[in-house]
Amino acid sequence: AAPRPTAARAGRAARTVAVLGGGVAGLTAAHELAERGYQVTVYERKPKGLGGKARSMDVPGSARGGRKPLPGEHGFRFIPGIYHNLPDTLRRIPFPGNAHGCHDNLVASTEVMLARTGGRENIRFPFSSLGTPPPVLTPDALLRTLTGLLETVTHLPAHEIAYFANRLLVFFTSCEQRRLDVWEHTPWWRYLRADEMSADYQRLLAIGMTRNIVATKAEIASTKTVATCGEAFLFNLLGRGADGAPDRVLNLPTNEAWIDPWVAHLRSLGVQFRLGWSVRDLTLADGRITEAVATDPNGARKSITADHFVQAMPVEHARATWNASVRAADPQLARCDALQTDWMTGIQFYLTEPTPILHGHINHIDTPWALTAVGQAQYWKNRDVPADYGDGSVADCLSVDISEWNNPGILYGKTAKECTREEVAREVWAQMKAGLNDTGAAVLRDATLHSWFLDPAVDGLGTPHPTNDEQLLIHPTGTWFHRPSSRTAIRNLFLAGDYVAVDIDLATMEGANASARQAVNALLEADGSPAAPCTLHRLYRAPEFEPFKTADATRHRLGLRNVFDFG
């Protein structure tokens, strides 16, 4: 993309910005600010942490014969078509041979699978099976579409399918105030009346949908959060308001396809990086942050000064830097103490044979550790995996996310936190085999398992005090009201990160990117900059449902239910 007009070009002296954190939010903020003529320095606490939880990383000691190390990661990348802000950034990152930059490295998955255990049939859903979407999305057309889809995929009783479809219609036609006042305080499990339904209804719709979208527990998750993203995904499936296919992944390991080209582009824009710098405190004087106190890679105390500060750290690390005076200056910072994080961590299994399980993501919905997985090497463009990575014997990479760390497993009877790293790997492998090999086919074979790599952010497993340095924001009821805005009451401090309140209402790379754009826009306004603000893309809203939402706003003010809500 052509460079945007910048403050420097407008004749102003370049102002300095310290971006505290080098994840997706921090790099996005740096990108937008550098394009507008600001002198940006990014401070990242991990020596190889640029990209944050989105990065891929080298598996130590795995390279032989001039090959690259095997690629490991915190968790697999998933960039659905409902994202718009992140794809816009990807288009603006140059990549050799790509007309649309790193965006051209996105490739579509064609199906998704719910893997069952106990002799139950695995459910495969090709995205092409949806058929022709209705041209006009009336409530009746939506119900017919949902009912047909669920009948085909789930084989649940007709009354349960009808009830679930109706609950989605209720949310889709609910006004924004009802979503905030009622559905934000209603657990998804209770919203669906899951206690009154069959075990398969609970597993496939209440739990399965929640895990796929928000990686949180259905019993406590906010209906507003789950259904907002469910609504966007359904519109994506119907071809409405999407950037691309419902399920997209990268055609190379993440750093090759995205993070490394991004950092190189930012350097070309003048962005500087300080790696291994950990922010410890913020100094407030006269309503401004005068310095961020940090330690450098050698542990020496350093003072970071700038005209403006964009704090783009994960919430559990950011709030540790907010001292009493900083918190007193802006009450929304103290409310962040109520935000909750949990463990969602990845493990990769490297296989000696190509193992084409599915051209898409697999949700192992019956596993006690809530596993989701994807076979990655099938997507890697122009890569001969044995020739390019590892010791020459690895042909595939199965990347798995572990979302539940507090339930006993099937192999050792221990929670994931109680297991050693080796036991975690064996347990995850056993739980996946219990679903994929349940019908008798040897989809996963021990003989093909070369090695595994568990995210190093997890430490102390099998001891009384396990830790996870990279946790995920979760969304229990009421979470929205604790999430801060990007603008703070401190004149030169702005917040970016997946915990900041944005339209998608979900801790995602899209949310991190959108929050950074919000933070930059707030900074530009506070600085009096003539530069054009960042574009902020909102989730798609079906125009056919807007009159229903308007009518529902009146009903909500009168204390009445949504017109489609039969309880």
Side-chain angles (χ1 to χ4, degrees):
R4 301 185 181 195
T6 65
R9 293 193 188 99
R12 304 172 83 237
R15 304 272 277 165
T16 59
V17 181
V19 175
L20 310 178
V24 171
L27 297 183
T28 301
H31 193 160
E32 300 292 348
L33 288 163
E35 284 189 342
R36 290 161 175 79
Y38 284 83
Q39 292 183 359
V40 182
T41 303
V42 176
Y43 298 86
E44 165 55 39
R45 66 191 178 93
K46 294 193 173 183
K48 296 183 179 180
L50 292 178
K53 291 190 286 286
R55 74 193 187 281
S56 55
M57 58 196 85
D58 295 342
V59 176
S62 62
R64 300 286 189 280
R67 299 176 185 84
K68 298 178 182 180
L70 293 171
E73 58 191 0
H74 170 79
F76 54 71
R77 303 277 63 73
F78 169 51
I79 305 176
I82 69 170
Y83 289 5
H84 285 278
N85 294 290
L86 181 63
D88 173 72
T89 296
L90 291 172
R91 289 185 177 93
R92 290 156 46 207
I93 303 170
F95 192 92
N98 288 358
H100 304 102
C102 289
H103 190 277
D104 287 349
N105 291 336
L106 295 178
V107 290
S109 294
T110 57
E111 56 185 338
V112 66
M113 182 165 78
L114 305 180
R116 308 304 309 270
T117 59
R120 291 174 290 237
E121 182 180 359
N122 292 337
I123 299 172
R124 297 176 72 139
F125 172 57
F127 294 122
S128 60
S129 68
L130 187 64
T132 303
V136 179
L137 201 60
T138 64
D140 185 59
L142 177 69
L143 289 175
R144 287 200 309 269
T145 299
L146 283 170
T147 300
L149 172 63
L150 294 172
E151 286 175 345
T152 301
V153 173
T154 67
H155 306 298
L156 289 169
H159 72 280
E160 293 189 343
I161 289 175
Y163 185 76
F164 180 81
N166 172 260
R167 298 313 286 165
L168 292 187
L169 177 62
V170 168
F171 185 85
F172 289 9
T173 56
S174 289
C175 65
E176 294 304 315
Q177 201 59 45
R178 188 187 299 277
R179 295 184 181 197
L180 283 170
D181 294 345
V182 182
W183 305 141
E184 172 61 21
H185 296 286
T186 304
W188 178 241
W189 186 268
R190 191 171 79 209
Y191 182 76
L192 299 181
R193 292 172 64 175
D195 276 337
E196 304 171 32
M197 303 297 182
S198 67
D200 276 348
Y201 177 99
Q202 296 172 355
R203 184 65 61 181
L204 295 174
L205 300 181
I207 296 175
M209 181 176 174
T210 310
R211 186 185 304 169
N212 272 353
I213 296 175
V214 300
T216 192
K217 297 176 176 64
E219 294 84 355
I220 64 171
S222 155
T223 291
K224 175 180 176 291
T225 299
V226 178
T228 293
C229 290
E231 178 183 40
F233 272 101
L234 181 60
F235 288 149
N236 194 172
L237 286 170
L238 295 174
R240 296 289 192 99
D243 179 78
D247 184 354
R248 297 179 297 185
V249 297
L250 292 165
N251 64 6
L252 289 168
T254 308
N255 272 38
E256 294 183 50
W258 171 25
I259 302 300
D260 290 346
W262 199 6
V263 172
H265 180 57
L266 295 181
R267 291 187 191 277
S268 76
L269 295 176
V271 176
Q272 298 184 28
F273 295 92
R274 299 288 183 268
L275 304 182
W277 286 53
S278 297
V279 178
R280 306 296 184 184
D281 196 14
L282 301 177
T283 303
L284 178 70
D286 298 323
R288 299 176 60 84
I289 300 298
T290 57
E291 68 168 352
V293 178
T295 52
D296 69 10
N298 298 316
R301 184 190 186 281
K302 297 292 183 180
S303 175
I304 300 170
T305 58
D307 296 314
H308 300 284
F309 293 82
V310 175
Q311 191 161 28
M313 300 159 61
V315 64
E316 66 271 25
H317 299 296
R319 60 192 175 197
T321 70
W322 300 334
N323 56 45
S325 61
V326 170
R327 288 167 178 261
D330 191 342
Q332 71 172 338
L333 300 181
R335 290 199 299 272
C336 289
D337 289 342
L339 294 175
Q340 300 178 40
T341 60
D342 203 351
W343 292 32
M344 183 178 181
T345 303
I347 183 172
Q348 290 76 55
F349 295 95
Y350 304 100
L351 311 176
T352 57
E353 295 179 2
T355 308
I357 302 169
L358 190 83
H359 195 255
H361 288 85
I362 306 162
N363 185 343
H364 298 264
I365 61 173
D366 294 329
T367 52
W369 288 4
L371 306 179
T372 47
V374 64
Q376 291 186 315
Q378 63 184 316
Y379 299 103
W380 289 346
K381 174 185 177 183
N382 300 325
R383 281 289 181 264
D384 181 335
V385 177
D388 294 342
Y389 299 101
D391 61 6
S393 61
V394 171
D396 209 342
C397 173
L398 183 60
S399 189
V400 187
D401 281 352
I402 309 168
S403 297
E404 176 54 73
W405 286 75
N406 297 305
N407 286 342
I410 65 173
L411 197 60
Y412 299 104
K414 298 191 290 187
T415 70
K417 292 178 181 177
E418 293 171 333
C419 290
T420 65
R421 298 179 75 85
E422 180 74 31
E423 288 171 339
V424 167
R426 291 176 179 173
E427 179 74 54
V428 171
W429 184 252
Q431 290 185 30
M432 288 194 298
K433 288 198 300 182
L436 297 177
N437 296 3
D438 196 37
T439 58
V443 178
L444 295 181
R445 298 187 297 115
D446 294 347
T448 67
L449 180 56
H450 173 277
S451 56
W452 52 268
F453 177 75
L454 178 62
D455 184 1
V458 173
D459 197 13
L461 291 177
T463 75
H465 303 291
T467 60
N468 186 345
D469 191 45
E470 295 185 350
Q471 299 192 33
L472 179 73
L473 180 75
I474 59 173
H475 302 79
T477 55
T479 295
W480 177 261
F481 301 104
H482 304 305
R483 297 177 70 171
S485 64
S486 290
R487 183 189 299 275
T488 76
I490 299 171
R491 295 195 301 274
N492 65 338
L493 177 65
F494 309 90
L495 304 181
D498 61 12
Y499 69 98
V500 173
V502 291
D503 186 45
I504 198 170
D505 187 20
L506 188 65
T508 56
M509 297 184 296
E510 174 76 352
N513 186 284
S515 72
R517 291 166 181 249
Q518 283 185 171
V520 169
N521 286 349
L523 187 155
L524 295 175
E525 183 178 353
D527 199 38
S529 170
C534 308
T535 300
L536 263 171
H537 302 273
R538 296 180 60 84
L539 291 175
Y540 175 77
R541 299 169 65 106
E544 299 97 323
F545 286 165
E546 292 307 303
F548 293 98
K549 292 181 181 179
T550 300
D552 189 60
T554 300
R555 294 181 64 87
H556 181 59
R557 284 196 300 270
L558 295 174
L560 301 174
R561 287 182 173 183
N562 179 282
V563 70
F564 299 106
D565 190 353
F566 307 120

